[in-house]
Amino acid sequence: MNDVFLSDPKWKHDNNQFRPGFYNLCEKKILLAFAGTNLRASSHIESKIKLWRKQYSTLYDMVNASGFGWDDCEKMVLVDSDDVWSNHVKKVPDEKGMRNKPFPYYEVWLILFGKDRVTGELAEGPAESVTAMENEETTKEKGDESPVEQF
């Protein structure tokens, strides 16, 4: 598979999920490149892309957090100090194996999944989403307090 195929926007829905036929096209391209392989769109390719998406998301969050960076030569996450790492692992224990581990496909994942991450001043993280939903519920409980007089 080449980068042109992966970055073609026609294969992504607005919600950043792949359109029907994407995995089958991946399967065909793999079968052409590796004759005799038994890899199939379902479940081999789908499960691998699901794992890659999760790893990309984790790496993206880590690289964009304070105290972390990315080493283009070694293709791994940089950490400012052991304290930064131990504090991070206390919050997210599942990521303890990611230090000093190379991720050679990160640049390809940026092409594949790059638009899956919401960024910018209007971006809302999980904590902000919960707060917004709670505020919405509180507003509904109070009722419609419109300043317009009701007749």
Side-chain angles (χ1 to χ4, degrees):
M1 291 186 292
N2 58 31
D3 291 348
V4 174
F5 163 70
L6 294 175
S7 62
D8 189 340
K10 77 177 185 179
W11 290 111
K12 288 281 207 111
H13 284 291
D14 290 340
N15 66 358
N16 290 312
Q17 295 300 313
F18 293 110
R19 293 186 185 278
F22 176 79
Y23 294 116
N24 290 332
L25 185 57
C26 289
E27 178 181 306
K28 287 177 187 174
K29 288 186 176 281
I30 288 171
L31 291 173
L32 284 172
F34 304 101
T37 186
N38 65 351
L39 289 175
R40 296 294 174 251
S42 181
S43 66
H44 299 118
I45 297 170
E46 288 177 27
S47 65
K48 183 56 86 173
I49 288 179
K50 183 178 177 182
L51 171 69
W52 285 348
R53 187 185 305 266
K54 182 179 180 198
Q55 288 179 329
Y56 166 75
S57 179
T58 300
L59 286 170
Y60 182 90
D61 289 344
M62 211 183 282
V63 168
N64 289 291
S66 179
F68 292 90
W70 180 253
D71 183 337
D72 270 330
C73 293
E74 298 293 325
K75 307 295 184 205
M76 66 177 62
V77 174
L78 297 173
V79 184
D80 285 349
S81 69
D82 290 338
D83 288 340
V84 168
W85 183 251
S86 57
N87 287 334
H88 178 75
V89 171
K90 284 178 189 172
K91 291 182 220 169
V92 194
D94 291 343
E95 296 175 11
K96 66 183 171 192
M98 296 182 75
R99 188 171 189 184
N100 300 322
K101 179 181 176 185
F103 292 92
Y105 300 115
Y106 186 65
E107 283 84 12
V108 176
W109 295 344
L110 285 168
I111 295 166
L112 252 182
F113 311 121
K115 294 182 181 177
D116 289 5
R117 306 295 302 181
V118 177
T119 58
E121 73 180 48
L122 298 178
E124 190 174 72
E128 291 89 359
S129 296
V130 170
T131 303
M133 287 187 287
E134 288 171 350
N135 289 340
E136 212 172 281
E137 287 298 317
T138 303
T139 304
K140 284 181 184 177
E141 288 172 6
K142 288 182 179 177
D144 187 14
E145 297 178 6
S146 172
V148 177
E149 189 175 317
Q150 300 292 319
F151 293 100

